[in-house]
Amino acid sequence: MPPSRIFDENVEVYLARLAVSGPAPHPVIREMEEEAVRRAFPIVGPEVGRFFRQIAMLTRPRRVLELGSGFGYSALWWVFGSPETEVHLTDFDGANLELARGYAERAGVADRLHFHQGDALKVAQQLRGPWDIVFCDIDKKEYPAALGFAGEVLGPGGLLLYDNMLWDGRVVMPEGEWDENTEAVVATTRAIYRDPRWAASLLPVRDGVLMAVRR
């Protein structure tokens, strides 16, 4: 059974067009989106990027930790949302981080980004907390482990975000047809919703953003 569509195709087109209809916070954002298309590289896209910028504008986080940063697209949205925010990026691929550094320098925000190469969870465990926001976009099978980590490093009021939590509609497929990644996404979602330490919502933004506040 193929994955289900999250929205009607026309609605998806409408939302995608809206997300790019206004000016980006910096021209480098559009360059990064074009790079993602050229490389078929997964990024959160302008819909989620705008959402992250709004969160930063509202909450003024001091320190954001990204688990899986790619070439830095989402990180720029955080710092464009608040001049008080610094972001720690993690990625296994050093070439991605060098590309992220170059984009950040051109955008004039490199002094607020910190780059850490290696396995995201292993690297993050060596970094100094606490954090105001943890954003997770690593291999889906690692999502449950990231939840345990976030519970340790986020204090009351801390914000945890996961990308791809609708997983292109695979989460509504019959359980017997789930692969390892789908199982991990669903297990993580259920664990957060059932844990009294978290106040969670799964938002149908692009491929699904789960947002949970630490009680």
Side-chain angles (χ1 to χ4, degrees), residues 87-190:
V87 182
H88 287 252
L89 294 76
T90 63
D91 200 88
F92 192 81
D93 190 338
N96 282 337
L97 293 178
E98 283 305 307
L99 192 58
R101 190 189 305 274
Y103 282 124
E105 289 173 351
R106 292 171 57 197
V109 295
D111 60 324
R112 293 196 281 143
L113 301 186
H114 307 272
F115 305 90
H116 309 279
Q117 182 182 356
D119 178 271
L121 278 174
K122 291 180 180 178
V123 168
Q125 289 167 356
Q126 305 303 315
L127 300 179
R128 178 180 58 86
W131 306 95
D132 300 303
I133 294 175
V134 173
F135 169 52
C136 184
D137 195 13
I138 54 178
D139 288 343
K140 304 305 171 258
K141 63 179 180 293
E142 300 295 332
Y143 271 23
L147 176 58
F149 168 78
E152 296 174 357
V153 300
L154 285 171
L159 190 62
L160 171 62
L161 295 125
Y162 277 93
D163 194 27
N164 306 118
M165 294 303 270
L166 292 176
W167 201 220
D168 199 26
R170 292 178 178 86
V171 293
V172 298
M173 293 170 61
E175 187 170 346
E177 298 180 16
W178 291 350
D179 60 12
E180 182 181 17
N181 291 321
T182 306
E183 184 175 351
V185 167
V186 173
T188 303
T189 304
R190 290 175 175 174

Side-chain angles (χ1 to χ4, degrees), residues 22-49:
H26 193 281
V28 76
I29 287 287
R30 295 293 179 247
E31 294 179 27
M32 297 173 85
E33 291 164 359
E34 293 169 2
E35 176 70 10
V37 171
R38 281 194 297 268
R39 297 173 55 187
F41 191 95
I43 58 174
V44 299
E47 298 102 315
V48 177

